Amino acid sequence: MERCCPGERRAIERQATKRKLKSLNATNRSMDNDIEAEHICTRVCGRLLKCGRHTCPELCHKGACGTCKEAIFEEIWCHCERSVLYPPQPCGTKPPVCHFECERPKDCGHPQVPHDCHPDEESCPKCPFLMEKRCVCGKKILKNQPCWLVDTRCGLACGKPLKCGSHSCLKSCHRPGNCEDTVMSCQQPCGKAKRICEHPCMEPCHAPYPCPEKIPCSASVTITCGCGRLRRESSCNAARAVTLKGQLHQPEILPSSMSLNCDDECARLERNRSLASALNITIDKSTTTALNPPSSSVSSSHLPYSVETLDMYVQLSSSSTLSALQSYESTLHDLAVNATQRSVRFQPARAPLRAFIHSLASDWGFTSESFDPEPHRHVSVLKPTRWTAPSFGLGRGSAIGIGGMTVAGCLKFRDRERMKDREAQRSATAETKSWREVTSEPSLNATEGGWAQVASRRRPGADANASPALTRTSTPIPISGSTYSILSPDIGKDGKTSVLVLRSSVGTGKMPHLRNHASLDVDEVVDSWEEEVDKQEAAEQKASRHEHLGERGNASVANPAEGPP
C-alpha cells in the first residue's frame, strides 16, 4: 500500500548511496543532515487512530500516529448502565469504572460470583460451585468437581484392547478414540513367555508374529549354593540360533545352569541344624536360632521385654490406639524375620510414641535414632550387620513378638505371676501369724492344770497280757479349742479315766474344764507322748515275760520227777 509520494523511493535510493560513500569520503560527512527536498510529502497521513473512529489528520510522517484530538459529545455508559461519563470527552475514552455488582447471567445456571461490573472484553470469574460430573472416558461419576472444569478425569487406565490384540491401552482417562495406538502401532513390551527359557519377552510388540528370541535374554536369575544360603544375581543370556543364507551366525545358547559352592559358614549352619534335629529343638532354618525357647525360661523376673517398655505400653494404651502400638510391634518383627531388610522408617509421631519405639527396638537388639525437627520428627531403626535374635527366639509360625509373645501378652503373663506371688505371700504370712499366735501363749504349770490332755495306752484296770492298742472312746470330754484333744481315754473299773498329760505351751484357760471333770485321773506329766508310750510298751512286755517265767517255775516245782527233755 502506497502511503507517500513517488519521490520517496528515489530519496531512499539516494540515502543508500550516501551510506556507501560515507566510509570512503570523510569530507562529505557534513552533508549527512541535508534535507531531501523531494522526500517532504504534502499528503495527509490518513491512518486509523487508536480510537477506532477517526484518522490521522497530520501530513505524511514516520512512526506511530498520535492520540486522537477529536472530542465526542455522547454519554459513555458502563455495561450495567448504572455509571456514566457525561460529554464532552476525548475520543477513545473507555467506559467508567463501575463499582456495582455484575449482573450477567451464567450459562450453567448457578448464581453469579459477587464481583464488580466490567466491560465485555473481560470475562466473569469461573463458577466455583461443586457438582457431579462424568469423566471423559465415561467409567466413573466424580463428585465435588468444580462447575467450570470441562474435562474431568478419573485417573484410571483406559483398559480398552488395542489393535494388536495382545495388549490393552495403558493411558489414563482420556476421550474416546485417543488410545495409545491411534498415531503409531503398539510399543508395549511383548510379555509372552519365550520358548527357550520361559522368561517374558521384553521386545516391542510384534504381534501377530512369534517372538524371534535372537537377542540374548536379559532376565535376571538367582544362582544359589546347595543349601541355599549363598545367592548371586546373573543374566539368563538364553538365545536361539541365528541362520542367514544357510550359514550359522549365532549358535543356540541355553539358560544358565551354574551353581555356587558352599563355604564354611554353610557347613556350620548344617551342623547346627543336625544338632537341633537330634536334640528336638525348633530353630530358624536360615539362621539356626531357637524359635521356641522353653517356657520355663519366661518368668516374672525374666521377661522378653524390659520394664520400661511394659510401663510405657501401659501408659500409652490409655492415650493412643492399640492398633498403632501393635503396628510398631509387627513392623519390628518383620524387620527381624526378613533377612534382606536392613532398616525401617516410622511415620512422624509424638514424643511418648517415639520413646516407646526406641525402647522396643532396644529389646529386639536394633539401633534406633530420631530425625527431623517437630512436628515431622520420626524414628529410623537399623538392624546391625551381625545382628542375632534375642535369647527368647522369634516365635513360631505367625506369632508376633519376641519369643512369640507380644507386649500385651507379656503384661498379662507378668500380672498373673505377680498375682500368684501375692497369693503365696499372703498364705505364708497367715501361716506365720498363726504359728506366732500359738507360740506366744504363756506356759502353764501343773498346779493350774494348764496342760494338753493326751490319752495313754496304759489301762490300769485291764489285763496285763492284753496287747496294747490305741482305741477311741465316744465319751465326750469337755475340752475346748482345736489344738487340744484327748485320744483313747481308758476308763477303769473304779470309773476313773487314766490319762497322760503332755507338757506343752498351751493357754492356761483350757485346763479348768479338765480339772472339773471328776472321772479323769491325771497320772503323770511328761514331755513327749511318743517316748512315754514306748516306755509303757517296753514295761508291759517285760512284765509279760516275767509272768511267763513264773508260770513255768511253778509247773517244775509241782512235778520234780520230770527232768528237762
Side-chain angles (χ1 to χ4, degrees), residues 23 49 51 117 120 126 150 163 182 232 237 263 283 360 362 367 382 384 564-565:
S23 59
L49 299 176
C51 65
C117 179
D120 294 336
K126 297 179 180 181
V150 179
K163 298 176 183 179
T182 303
R232 192 179 70 183
N237 294 327
D263 57 2
I283 62 173
L360 192 61
S362 177
T367 303
L382 176 66

Side-chain angles (χ1 to χ4, degrees), residues 217-265:
C217 180
S218 60
S220 178
V221 295
T222 303
I223 304 174
T224 62
C225 62
C227 65
R229 189 186 72 87
L230 299 178
R231 294 174 176 268
R232 192 179 70 183
E233 299 294 331
S234 178
S235 299
C236 176
N237 294 327
R240 284 189 173 185
V242 178
T243 304
L244 295 176
K245 297 181 181 181
Q247 295 182 357
L248 182 65
H249 285 261
Q250 176 181 305
E252 184 177 4
I253 304 174
L254 297 177
S256 178
S257 60
M258 62 180 298
S259 61
L260 302 176
N261 297 324
C262 292
D263 57 2
D264 296 339
E265 182 66 16

Side-chain angles (χ1 to χ4, degrees), residues 298-310:
V298 181
S299 62
S300 59
S301 59
H302 190 207
L303 297 173
Y305 301 96
S306 62
V307 179
E308 293 78 7
T309 303
L310 298 178

Side-chain angles (χ1 to χ4, degrees), residues 161-462:
L162 300 178
K163 298 176 183 179
C164 64
S166 300
H167 303 96
S168 57
C169 180
L170 298 180
K171 287 180 64 177
S172 59
C173 180
H174 58 81
R175 293 184 179 277
N178 292 338
C179 292
E180 56 182 292
D181 61 344
T182 303
V183 179
M184 57 188 304
S185 60
C186 177
Q187 298 296 318
Q188 296 184 21
C190 174
K192 296 180 181 178
K194 296 182 180 180
R195 296 181 180 180
I196 190 171
C197 62
E198 297 184 355
H199 288 136
C201 177
M202 301 307 295
E203 295 185 11
C205 180
H206 43 75
Y209 305 102
C211 299
E213 302 184 18
K214 297 179 181 180
I215 301 175
C217 180
S218 60
S220 178
V221 295
T222 303
I223 304 174
T224 62
C225 62
C227 65
R229 189 186 72 87
L230 299 178
R231 294 174 176 268
R232 192 179 70 183
E233 299 294 331
S234 178
S235 299
C236 176
N237 294 327
R240 284 189 173 185
V242 178
T243 304
L244 295 176
K245 297 181 181 181
Q247 295 182 357
L248 182 65
H249 285 261
Q250 176 181 305
E252 184 177 4
I253 304 174
L254 297 177
S256 178
S257 60
M258 62 180 298
S259 61
L260 302 176
N261 297 324
C262 292
D263 57 2
D264 296 339
E265 182 66 16
C266 297
R268 184 186 69 83
L269 295 177
E270 185 62 29
R271 289 195 301 270
N272 292 346
R273 284 189 283 267
S274 301
L275 288 174
S277 177
L279 299 176
N280 196 19
I281 300 175
T282 304
I283 62 173
D284 184 1
K285 297 298 182 181
S286 59
T287 60
T288 66
T289 55
L291 292 179
N292 188 21
S295 58
S296 59
S297 62
V298 181
S299 62
S300 59
S301 59
H302 190 207
L303 297 173
Y305 301 96
S306 62
V307 179
E308 293 78 7
T309 303
L310 298 178
D311 293 342
M312 281 190 285
Y313 187 90
V314 173
Q315 295 175 1
L316 292 174
S317 59
S318 60
S319 59
S320 302
T321 58
L322 294 180
S323 59
L325 301 179
Q326 293 171 0
S327 65
Y328 297 154
E329 296 184 58
S330 60
T331 302
L332 292 180
H333 180 82
D334 295 340
L335 178 62
V337 174
N338 196 337
T340 59
Q341 188 178 4
R342 288 291 310 281
S343 62
V344 65
R345 176 186 175 275
F346 291 91
Q347 293 295 327
R350 297 180 289 108
L353 291 175
R354 295 198 305 270
F356 175 73
I357 297 174
H358 285 298
S359 181
L360 192 61
S362 177
D363 295 338
W364 277 98
F366 300 147
T367 303
S368 59
E369 188 174 357
S370 296
F371 295 95
D372 294 342
E374 297 288 355
H376 306 289
R377 194 163 182 81
H378 64 278
V379 178
S380 179
V381 179
L382 176 66
K383 181 168 64 175
T385 306
R386 297 184 178 181
W387 177 79
T388 57
S391 59
F392 292 91
L394 301 179
R396 178 184 295 179
S398 59
I400 296 177
I402 302 177
M405 181 182 294
T406 61
V407 180
C410 187
L411 278 172
K412 294 179 180 179
F413 177 82
R414 186 182 69 172
D415 294 341
R416 288 196 300 267
E417 293 297 321
R418 287 183 176 180
M419 184 64 69
K420 292 179 182 179
D421 294 343
R422 284 195 293 268
E423 290 293 338
Q425 186 177 4
R426 280 197 292 267
S427 300
T429 304
E431 292 178 1
T432 305
K433 184 178 180 181
S434 177
W435 180 79
R436 287 180 179 177
E437 289 178 355
V438 172
T439 56
S440 63
E441 294 180 356
S443 301
L444 305 178
N445 49 47
T447 58
E448 296 177 352
W451 305 99
Q453 304 296 323
V454 181
S456 172
R457 292 186 180 182
R458 183 180 53 190
R459 297 184 179 181

